Amino acid sequence: MRTGGNLLKRILIAMLLVLLALGAAGCGTQQQGGHDKKFRIVTSFYPMYIDAINITKGVDGVEVVNMTKPQTGCLHDYQLTTEDMKTLEKADAFIVNGAGMESFLDKVIKQQKNLKVIDASKSDDINFLKDGDEVNPHVWLSVTYNIAQVEAITSQLCEADPEHADAYRKNALDYVTKLTALREEMHKELDNLPHKDIVTFHEAFPYLAKEFKL
């Protein structure tokens, strides 16, 4: 039991490191552009930022900014700050997880009527789980559903910024290929574990458990 648990822990840590590494590969390159007017994308929290910088990697004239600090965690009870609103005032598009994660979203839409909101969970390929009567919004913890989110972000981003649509689609395809390989690697390691009982400290992990039959 202990061996299986240690292996599972190593796999989950490896997954996080790979996702962060994929994200880091896009850092810095999308910040520099030759255009006078950059297309400015703001993301609601770190998982959306990781997706966004991979989709926009190397695209000239596009800037990605994460609204909240990386250690913020989930946004269920997050309160917008004055700095957040200033950040959003300068944004052309705001990428959110959706599905109720950003409890402040109605306030943003009300105050920033011209802001294009890109909902990463707006996908027919996501089957939402529920916590009681409420939808569980932590879909990015399923690799399969995160792929669906990447595709949803890309589709809506291409509509918001058609000038860079071809580059977004190419980057998204490359990123989905990496995520698909990651999913296959994790299945290879986890599918044959002798024990699949886990204890979690957060309601986010049912999607991970469902993906790998934990």
Side-chain angles (χ1 to χ4, degrees):
M1 184 73 175
R2 180 175 299 175
T3 301
N6 288 339
L7 177 59
L8 177 59
K9 181 178 179 181
R10 290 198 299 272
I11 292 297
L12 296 181
I13 292 174
M15 176 187 177
L16 176 61
L17 292 175
V18 170
L19 288 174
L20 292 177
L22 292 176
C27 286
T29 57
Q30 79 279 10
Q31 300 290 336
Q32 302 298 323
H35 298 184
D36 292 333
K37 177 67 171 67
K38 292 182 179 180
F39 187 82
R40 196 165 195 261
I41 300 168
V42 174
T43 56
S44 60
F45 72 137
Y46 205 62
M48 296 302 100
Y49 178 73
I50 292 294
D51 287 343
I53 62 176
N54 278 280
I55 296 169
T56 63
K57 183 173 66 174
V59 180
D60 190 38
V62 177
E63 181 181 38
V64 180
V65 176
N66 191 42
M67 186 183 74
T68 55
K69 296 179 181 179
Q71 65 269 27
T72 300
C74 290
L75 301 178
H76 301 296
D77 301 315
Y78 184 80
Q79 299 295 318
L80 287 172
T81 67
T82 302
E83 288 302 314
D84 293 338
M85 295 307 295
K86 289 180 180 179
T87 298
L88 290 171
E89 285 177 1
K90 301 175 183 177
D92 295 296
F94 185 33
I95 298 178
V96 300
N97 179 79
M101 173 62 72
E102 292 85 358
S103 57
F104 52 79
L105 189 56
D106 288 344
K107 181 179 179 180
V108 171
I109 293 173
K110 183 178 180 180
Q111 295 192 19
Q112 306 288 340
K113 298 184 184 299
N114 295 323
L115 179 62
K116 172 65 176 178
V117 176
I118 295 175
D119 187 337
S121 296
K122 192 176 181 181
S123 171
D124 293 334
D125 294 326
I126 298 175
N127 296 314
F128 294 100
L129 301 175
K130 287 192 172 183
D131 294 325
D133 294 330
E134 296 184 358
V135 169
N136 187 325
H138 304 86
V139 292
W140 73 90
L141 285 176
S142 160
V143 183
T144 297
Y145 288 168
N146 186 228
I147 289 172
Q149 287 189 302
V150 169
E151 292 171 345
I153 292 170
T154 303
S155 175
Q156 295 171 67
L157 192 55
C158 288
E159 292 179 5
D161 182 26
E163 179 183 349
H164 300 110
D166 289 343
Y168 293 148
R169 293 190 186 101
K170 181 182 182 301
N171 283 341
L173 182 60
D174 292 342
Y175 187 39
V176 166
T177 298
K178 294 175 182 178
L179 290 174
T180 301
L182 173 65
R183 179 178 60 189
E184 292 175 356
E185 180 182 352
M186 292 183 68
H187 272 295
K188 182 179 178 181
E189 296 292 342
L190 295 176
D191 285 352
N192 295 319
L193 282 180
H195 304 288
K196 295 192 174 185
D197 295 334
I198 61 174
V199 177
T200 70
F201 66 93
H202 195 280
E203 67 272 17
F205 292 98
Y207 287 104
L208 179 69
K210 180 181 179 182
E211 173 101 36
F212 298 104
K213 296 181 173 58
L214 303 175

